């Protein structure tokens, strides 16, 4: 059984003091969580405050939204995996479509980051997804296949299960337009088959694949009921602690 993983991608929102009050409200709202894993991914500046607040909830992990692939050096403005590990960060989002489109990250760059994260003991939340144009021109499988093969090139067999894949169709991110559960399930099953091709069937069965793109309390449960959907990466709706907590409840309800 793959443990579902619900992750809040705050993007460039919340100062460290806002993060503290968010997490206080969230912990009060959510109470105990046993059957799913919860990750909060604040901006770098709010990581230390979030790590301290997370100590009150064993199921809660803190992640980062990006990192550089080098261990250290002359890379002005960048942060390394080693620096994140030193703050007790467990996860890092890599290959998010905003990084790919707004900051020019290629599959090759994403691959360097994935390998550096794994080497440092960080778990990548590795994002893939097609644009609307690619979907409309029937290129979904071709695009996902390329992003996965190139993004995970050189990853060792034992590291595969450390990776969480996030399927985020670009046309569903921040648009209010969600993939239907059937569309998402089809893409997730395809992603798992690509993973099986580059590792093996049993390993691919263990990899968790999150769905992301306009996940909200009113669509989360049905998405979470799909066979190959193992959680969600939530942007907009995660900025409200109450709606993030509701989405987690939906994921727990989907287990029954
Ligand atoms: P959204 O963002 O939930 O606001 O669509 C998801 C993401 O970009 O990770």
């Amino acid at each position: 059984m793959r443990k579902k993983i619900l992750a809040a991608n705050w993007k460039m929102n919340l100062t460290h003091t806002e993060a503290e009050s968010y997490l206080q409200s969230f912990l009060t709202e959510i109470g105990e969580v046993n059957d799913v894993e919860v990750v909060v991914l604040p901006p770098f500046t709010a990581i230390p405050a979030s790590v301290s607040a997370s100590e009150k909830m064993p199921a809660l992990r803190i992640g980062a939204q990006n990192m550089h692939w080098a261990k250290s050096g002359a890379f002005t403005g960048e942060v390394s995996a080693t620096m994140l590990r030193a703050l007790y960060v467990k996860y890092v989002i890599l290959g998010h479509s905003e990084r790919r489109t707004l900051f020019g990250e290629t599959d090759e760059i994403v691959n360097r980051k994935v390998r550096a994260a794994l080497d440092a003991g960080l778990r990548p939340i590795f994002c893939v997804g097609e644009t609307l144009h690619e979907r409309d021109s029937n290129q979904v499988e071709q695009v996902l296949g390329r992003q996965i093969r190139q993004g995970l090139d050189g990853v060792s067999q034992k590291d595969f299960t450390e990776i969480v894949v996030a399927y985020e169709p670009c046309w569903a991110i921040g648009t209010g337009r969600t993939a239907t559960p059937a569309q998402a399930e089809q893409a997730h099953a395809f992603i798992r088959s690509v993973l099986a091709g580059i590792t093996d069937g049993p390993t691919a069965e263990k990899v968790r694949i999150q769905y992301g793109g306009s996940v909200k309390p009113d669509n989360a449960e049905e998405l979470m009921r799909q066979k190959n959907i193992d959680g969600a990466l939530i942007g907009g709706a995660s900025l409200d602690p109450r709606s993030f907590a509701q989405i987690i409840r939906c994921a727990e309800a989907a287990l029954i």
Side-chain angles (χ1 to χ4, degrees), residues 23-220:
L23 286 166
Q24 247 169 29
S25 319
F26 174 69
L27 295 178
T28 311
E29 187 71 37
I30 195 77
E32 244 184 77
V33 174
N34 297 309
D35 301 327
V36 299
E37 192 176 345
V38 180
V39 184
V40 168
L41 304 137
F44 292 131
T45 49
I47 287 177
S50 303
V51 169
S52 307
S54 75
E55 281 158 13
K56 298 194 188 94
M57 180 179 163
L60 178 60
R61 309 261 178 275
I62 302 301
Q65 300 171 19
N66 183 30
M67 52 165 257
H68 194 271
W69 62 80
K71 285 196 172 75
S72 61
F75 301 100
T76 303
E78 295 290 332
V79 166
S80 73
T82 317
M83 294 168 184
L84 295 172
R85 285 293 286 146
L87 290 176
Y88 304 102
V89 162
K90 297 278 190 310
Y91 286 92
V92 60
I93 300 178
L94 297 174
H96 189 280
S97 71
E98 285 150 19
R99 300 292 321 167
R100 291 178 191 260
T101 57
L102 303 173
F103 301 96
E105 291 195 10
T106 59
D107 290 321
E108 199 226 320
I109 291 176
V110 177
N111 177 250
R112 285 197 211 181
K113 293 185 175 192
V114 166
R115 288 191 292 169
L118 290 166
D119 281 349
L122 278 177
R123 295 180 160 180
I125 297 182
F126 166 65
C127 303
V128 294
E130 79 286 357
T131 62
L132 189 56
H133 170 71
E134 288 160 345
R135 175 162 283 266
D136 288 344
S137 49
N138 280 327
Q139 294 177 68
V140 177
E141 297 196 346
Q142 190 189 323
V143 171
L144 295 179
R146 189 204 72 227
Q147 290 175 334
I148 296 166
R149 283 191 199 91
Q150 295 187 8
L152 301 185
D153 186 38
V155 169
S156 74
Q157 182 81 8
K158 73 165 179 42
D159 279 342
F160 258 90
T161 48
E162 297 294 309
I163 296 170
V164 175
V165 179
Y167 170 60
E168 297 207 310
C170 301
W171 48 271
I173 296 178
T175 58
R177 218 181 125 182
T178 330
T180 63
Q183 277 174 327
E185 171 59 22
Q186 194 183 6
H188 282 231
F190 174 74
I191 289 169
R192 204 175 297 290
S193 74
V194 175
L195 294 173
I198 48 181
T199 56
D200 56 62
T203 305
E205 276 304 311
K206 290 188 199 138
V207 177
R208 293 178 294 177
I209 308 175
Q210 295 178 310
Y211 170 78
S214 298
V215 175
K216 299 190 173 58
D218 60 6
N219 60 24

